[in-house]
Amino acid sequence: MATTADFKNGMCLDIDGQYYFIVEFLHVKPGKGPAFVRTKLKNVTTGRILDKTWNSGVRVQEVRIERRPYQFLYKDDMGCNLMNNETFEQVSINPELINGVKFMKEGDELEVVVHAESETILYADMPTHVIMEVTYTEPGLKGDTATNTLKPATVENGAEVRVPLFINAGDKIKIDTRDGSYVERVRE
C-alpha cells in the first residue's frame, strides 16, 4: 500500500479493479482546510484520462509493473507474436494493446508493460520514431518545398502516411508512431 505522499508520474494504481497510470499530480495546501492531491490518471485498457482528487494521506493500492524488451516476430489470426529478448519466450497479444501497431514490421523492438505479480501484459509501446521506406507516392516536383502541402504515401508495411510534396518513392522517412505523422526525410 502507498499513500498520496508516494505519488510520482508513471506510478500505476489499482482503483476499483481497473489499472491507472498517474500522468500528473499536484499537492495543494489551501489556506483554509486540509491538504489534498489533484491527479490526472490514464486508464491502461481504455486510454481515457480521469481527473481525481484525493485527501492528503489516503492509502492507495499500488500495482508493481515491469517494462520488458520484446521483438515483433509475425502477425497471424491469433494476434501479434512477440519474443522476450531476455528469456526467448514467445507470447501472442492482441494488436489493440500495441501503441503504434500500424507502423510495426518484423524484427522491431517493443517495450512491453507487464503486471509483475500476475505476469499479465497490460500494453506495449513501439519506439517513438521509426524509419521506413516509401513504396508508393505520386511523384514530386523539383523545388516544391516552400509550402506545407502534404500528399498520401504508402510505406513498406502498407501503412499510409501524409508526407510533403518533395518525397518520392524509394525515400526513407522518419515517422512518429504516436500520431502517424511525418517527421523528416532520412539521408543515408
Side-chain angles (χ1 to χ4, degrees):
M1 292 290 264
T3 66
T4 56
D6 300 323
F7 281 2
K8 56 184 175 270
N9 290 340
M11 184 177 182
C12 189
L13 306 175
D14 183 349
I15 303 170
D16 300 328
Q18 298 251 354
Y19 299 137
Y20 291 88
F21 282 107
I22 297 176
V23 177
E24 63 182 56
F25 68 97
L26 177 67
H27 288 277
V28 180
K29 295 183 200 169
K32 187 176 182 182
F36 58 92
V37 180
R38 264 194 209 114
T39 59
K40 276 191 192 250
L41 306 169
K42 181 178 180 181
N43 189 312
V44 171
T45 53
T46 65
R48 281 193 36 223
I49 300 290
L50 171 74
D51 292 320
K52 186 162 174 70
T53 304
W54 310 78
N55 289 330
S56 195
V58 169
R59 292 181 129 350
V60 293
Q61 182 65 43
E62 182 180 5
V63 177
R64 201 169 67 89
I65 60 167
E66 294 177 359
R67 297 179 184 277
R68 299 179 183 161
Y70 276 74
Q71 181 180 16
F72 174 61
L73 299 176
Y74 59 92
K75 187 175 182 177
D76 61 9
D77 57 340
M78 298 293 290
C80 294
N81 293 287
L82 307 174
M83 178 181 68
N84 187 323
N85 289 348
E86 296 161 353
T87 63
F88 304 110
E89 170 194 357
Q90 292 186 22
V91 295
S92 181
I93 69 170
N94 189 339
E96 294 172 0
L97 296 177
I98 302 173
N99 299 326
V101 70
K102 73 180 200 176
F103 300 108
M104 197 165 57
K105 59 183 189 226
E106 290 181 13
D108 280 351
E109 299 286 324
L110 286 85
E111 187 175 73
V112 176
V113 177
V114 180
H115 186 285
E117 284 88 37
S118 67
E119 292 293 319
T120 308
I121 294 177
L122 301 177
Y123 68 91
D125 278 330
M126 284 282 297
T128 308
H129 296 101
V130 293
I131 296 172
M132 300 192 105
E133 184 177 336
V134 176
T135 55
Y136 174 77
T137 188
E138 295 296 325
L141 301 172
K142 196 163 189 84
D144 221 347
T145 59
T147 62
N148 284 341
T149 310
L150 300 174
K151 63 181 180 179
T154 306
V155 292
E156 60 191 88
N157 70 346
E160 195 165 288
V161 182
R162 305 279 300 164
V163 297
L165 295 174
F166 59 86
I167 299 293
N168 293 311
D171 288 349
K172 291 196 182 265
I173 59 172
K174 185 184 278 189
I175 302 169
D176 188 331
T177 58
R178 296 170 293 192
D179 59 3
S181 64
Y182 164 86
V183 178
E184 65 183 354
R185 179 167 43 182
V186 178
R187 300 267 185 204
E188 292 182 21

